[in-house]
């Protein structure tokens, strides 16, 4: 009787111990998730609280004003917001097609011996500090653009009826276009790595079936690979966009740091991150410091909107594919 009762007792003890371990694991993982959420909310609220004086002084007009003058204590966020969105938009217009080409090359075109070294080189680009990109953009890229590229762009493309206003301006070498180019180079490793990894998840039998039906390599990529990985590709693109929006040092070096709004992409501008990096260390006026903190909160909101839009788009795609 005792022999049969002992295993049952041991089983109960093990069941209780496993249940306790599962509960501890669940609470630990829940705490980790809540820690991230609480940290994000605390960071946003701390910036909003730090910028309360600027918000009380200028009200919602802070977000629509183009004035930024430390001497007269007039601050507005529209110019940095404009520069942030435009430079990130230029970067994504360049980075997305280039990243797509790199991913297709590494997964469908390149020979086997080349895929590893090229893929590793692209991933190493993501590890280069942003200040190195900024110094390279200022001392290497900007002089070349001002001497060889921007004069031709201004003289030839600047006279066109529709895009001429956008592609005209003094060939300074620094400005919105240069900032977009540097951002694109920084974003490409992230987006191309995501695309390459998701392209590798496409089952080989799907591509082989398409080839057997007479499809070309481009048709297989466009009609089989891309639809199969659409959601992940969009997620990778928005991940790169989030990095482009928040980049600081590289943009600070090459954007020109001018508080003006211009349709000409060759002219200098500024961004939220560049403004904060340039002025926060010297902001002794509480109103000035509050305006910079409120700019930081604005950047946080912009990034949150971008990521929320990405999640919403992915959810809609998932529902559509499910139907």
């Amino acid at each position: 009787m005792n022999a049969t009762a002992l295993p049952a007792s041991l089983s109960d003890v093990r069941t209780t111990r496993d249940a306790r371990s599962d509960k501890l694991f669940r609470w630990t993982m829940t705490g980790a998730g809540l820690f991230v959420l609480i940290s994000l909310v605390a960071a946003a609220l701390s910036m909003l609280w730090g910028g309360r004086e600027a918000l009380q002084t200028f009200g919602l007009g802070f977000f629509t004003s183009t004035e930024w003058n430390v001497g007269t204590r007039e601050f507005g966020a529209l110019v940095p917001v404009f520069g942030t969105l435009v430079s990130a938009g230029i970067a994504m217009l360049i980075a997305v097609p280039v990243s797509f080409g790199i991913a297709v090359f590494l997964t469908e075109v390149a020979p086997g011996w080349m895929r590893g070294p090229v893929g590793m080189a692209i991933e190493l680009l993501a590890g280069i500090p942003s200040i190195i990109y900024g110094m390279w953009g200022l001392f290497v890229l900007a002089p070349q653009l001002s001497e060889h590229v921007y004069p031709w762009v201004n003289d030839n493309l600047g006279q066109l009826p529709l895009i001429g206003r956008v592609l005209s301006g003094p060939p300074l070498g620094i400005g919105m276009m240069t900032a977009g180019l540097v951002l694109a180079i920084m974003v490409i490793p992230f987006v191309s790595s995501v695309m390459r990894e998701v392209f590798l998840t496409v089952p080989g039998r799907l591509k082989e079936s398409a080839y057997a039906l007479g499809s070309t390599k481009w048709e297989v990529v466009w009609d089989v690979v891309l639809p199969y990985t659409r959601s992940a590709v969009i997620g990778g693109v928005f991940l790169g966009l989030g990095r482009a929006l928040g980049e600081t040092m590289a943009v600070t070096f090459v954007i020109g740091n001018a508080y003006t709004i211009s349709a000409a992409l060759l002219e200098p501008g500024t961004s939220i991150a560049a403004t904060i990096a340039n002025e926060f260390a010297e902001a002794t006026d509480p109103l000035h410091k509050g305006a910079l903190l409120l700019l930081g909160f604005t950047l946080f909101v912009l990034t949150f909107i971008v990521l929320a839009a990405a999640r919403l788009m992915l959810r809609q795609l998932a529902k559509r594919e499910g139907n």
Side-chain angles (χ1 to χ4, degrees):
M1 182 174 181
N2 293 334
T4 57
L6 184 59
S9 177
L10 291 176
S11 177
D12 293 340
V13 171
R14 182 174 181 180
T15 301
T16 304
R17 184 182 59 193
D18 291 344
R20 188 183 301 113
S21 300
D22 288 341
K23 183 180 295 185
L24 178 62
F25 176 79
R26 182 170 62 252
W27 281 108
T28 302
M29 296 301 102
T30 302
L34 290 176
F35 174 78
V36 174
L37 181 60
I38 293 173
S39 299
L40 288 175
V41 174
L45 292 179
S46 64
M47 287 185 291
L48 182 60
W49 178 256
R52 67 188 184 281
E53 184 174 349
L55 190 60
Q56 292 172 355
T57 303
F58 304 109
L60 295 180
F62 174 83
F63 302 101
T64 59
S65 174
T66 59
E67 184 70 23
W68 190 276
N69 193 317
V70 179
T72 60
R73 305 179 82 231
E74 293 289 335
F75 303 102
L78 188 58
V79 175
V81 170
F82 174 82
T84 300
L85 295 177
V86 171
S87 59
I90 295 172
M92 299 312 297
L93 286 176
I94 299 172
V96 171
V98 173
S99 300
F100 178 75
I102 292 173
V104 172
F105 174 77
L106 292 177
T107 56
E108 304 293 336
V109 179
W113 61 269
M114 186 183 293
R115 296 180 181 181
V118 174
M120 185 178 299
I122 294 173
E123 292 178 354
L124 287 176
L125 289 175
I128 299 177
S130 61
I131 192 172
I132 302 300
Y133 282 107
M135 295 175 62
W136 172 81
L138 179 62
F139 296 114
V140 179
L141 181 62
Q144 296 298 321
L145 293 175
S146 65
E147 183 177 354
H148 302 291
V149 179
Y150 286 167
W152 182 91
V153 171
N154 182 61
D155 295 339
N156 295 274
L157 302 181
Q159 310 302 323
L160 298 179
L162 295 178
I163 63 174
R165 183 68 183 92
V166 176
L167 298 177
S168 62
L172 301 176
I174 58 175
M176 300 293 292
M177 181 64 75
T178 306
L181 289 172
V182 174
L183 281 177
I185 296 173
M186 298 181 65
V187 167
I188 283 173
F190 294 92
V191 181
S192 61
S193 295
V194 172
M195 288 187 178
R196 185 190 65 174
E197 293 300 325
V198 298
F199 286 174
L200 291 174
T201 63
V202 179
R205 62 181 182 275
L206 294 180
K207 295 187 288 185
E208 293 172 0
S209 300
Y211 285 125
L213 293 175
S215 299
T216 63
K217 192 176 293 293
W218 169 251
E219 290 172 340
V220 170
V221 172
W222 190 257
D223 297 328
V224 177
V225 175
L226 196 57
Y228 188 87
T229 59
R230 184 187 297 115
S231 299
V233 168
I234 294 176
V237 170
F238 276 93
L239 178 65
L241 178 57
R243 174 169 174 77
L245 288 172
E247 180 53 45
T248 304
M249 295 310 300
V251 176
T252 304
F253 272 88
V254 299
I255 199 170
N257 302 307
Y259 293 96
T260 57
I261 293 180
S262 175
L265 299 180
L266 303 187
E267 294 186 1
T270 190
S271 68
I272 295 177
T275 300
I276 296 174
N278 283 325
E279 301 186 13
F280 196 82
E282 301 176 357
T284 57
D285 184 2
L287 183 60
H288 185 197
K289 184 176 294 185
L292 294 175
L293 289 171
L294 194 56
L295 270 183
F297 176 77
T298 304
L299 180 59
F300 182 91
V301 172
L302 284 177
T303 306
F304 176 80
I305 291 174
V306 168
L307 296 180
R311 295 296 301 177
L312 181 61
M313 185 179 299
L314 293 176
R315 183 175 300 178
Q316 294 298 325
L317 286 174
K319 290 182 179 179
R320 189 178 306 171
E321 292 172 358
N323 294 333

